[in-house]
Amino acid sequence: MVLVVSEEVQEAIEAGRPVVALESTIIAHGLPRPRNLRVALELEDAVRGEGAVPATVAVLDGRPLIGLDKAQLERVANDSGIRKLGHRDLPFAVAARASGATTVSATARLAALAGIRVFATGGLGGVHREWTVTQDESADLGLLARTGITVVCAGVKSILDVPATLQRLETLGVAVAGYGTDRFPGFYLSDSGHPVDWTLNAPEEVAEVMRAQDALGVAESALIVANPVPEAEQLDPELHARVLDEALAACAERGITGQAVTPFLLDYLVRHTDGASLRANLAAVRGNVRLGARIATAWARG
Ligand code: PSU
Ligand code: MN
């Protein structure tokens, strides 16, 4: 197989020890340089701190890597030419020996291929506002409907149409649970304003659902564990609403489309909230990565 799994990750998988997949688009295209490299290293440390092995995923020189060393992480963080790869882009990148950061969809696909069951990220992609005009819906959703992986996230990015995204997840049959809450989190915000049907309160409870997915033969679609950013660390909801409106207007005005939309909006929010959106984003990702490690541990204990 074309996958290149690092020795540390391969050993952990074979020994049944906990492993957490991490994506690289958030590093390359979701966070400002040079902070992004520090965050990437910090997230890996957070996974290790909980006793699990981090497996950051990216494609370098056409090789899909599961588990990056420091030099490889540095390339992902610092190479301004690095592409953004959704799962449909993977064959092109491999054939062209290209390098790219993997989105949720590409990371989930590659991690599942490597036999990794738990993946932690910031916020999922989803249905964009103005979907009726642009039909812009992240490939994350369709891929998660076809991939058996548990994804810990702070909901979907609040730049999206959240209720439409929740509806789409329901239609696609993707399992969604709130972690310690009956509200769907709002990425930068603890509460998106929308409810979820199921609440899980401990890593063992999540692992129990994963085992039930296997027992029922329905583990070919994902389990989304939606973990809210702590209220004390969320972005001020009023500031969020105001700047997001501006960001969406700026995006439309400049005619930005396709893969560039999400990075543009995230960057706009960072610059126009004095970094407050970045702090909330980082708090959310940190919490998700730690929870992912605890879920992977409960799962490995199985
Ligand atoms: N979460 C973050 N920052 C990000 C992303 C998620 O905190 O940058 C990335 C993920 O890789 C996700 C992608 O898959 O944004 C969605 O992009 P699009 O809307 O173009 O599918
Ligand atoms: Mn899109």
Side-chain angles (χ1 to χ4, degrees), residues 155-216:
V156 301
K157 283 184 283 283
S158 54
I159 58 175
L160 302 166
D161 184 333
V162 176
T165 303
L166 282 169
Q167 182 55 56
R168 189 83 184 111
L169 286 167
E170 181 180 348
T171 304
L172 289 168
V174 178
V176 179
Y179 189 82
T181 177
D182 60 1
R183 312 293 295 169
F184 192 63
F187 187 51
Y188 297 122
L189 307 176
S190 312
D191 181 352
S192 68
H194 303 275
V196 288
D197 292 334
W198 295 93
T199 299
L200 300 171
N201 293 301
E204 291 71 27
E205 284 181 28
V206 179
E208 199 64 30
V209 174
M210 292 160 69
R211 282 189 265 280
Q213 284 183 309
D214 285 351
L216 290 163

Side-chain angles (χ1 to χ4, degrees), residues 23-27 29-31 84 102-105 107 121-126 128 136-140 157 159-160 187 258-263 266 281 285:
E23 60 147 311
S24 47
T25 291
I26 179 170
I27 302 166
H29 305 286
L31 299 170
K84 172 176 165 182
T102 50
T103 67
V104 168
S105 75
T107 306
T121 181
L124 303 181
H128 283 257
D136 188 352
E137 174 189 328
S138 176
D140 291 354
K157 283 184 283 283
I159 58 175
L160 302 166
F187 187 51
Q259 282 194 329
V261 170
T262 296
L266 295 179
N281 190 348
V285 183

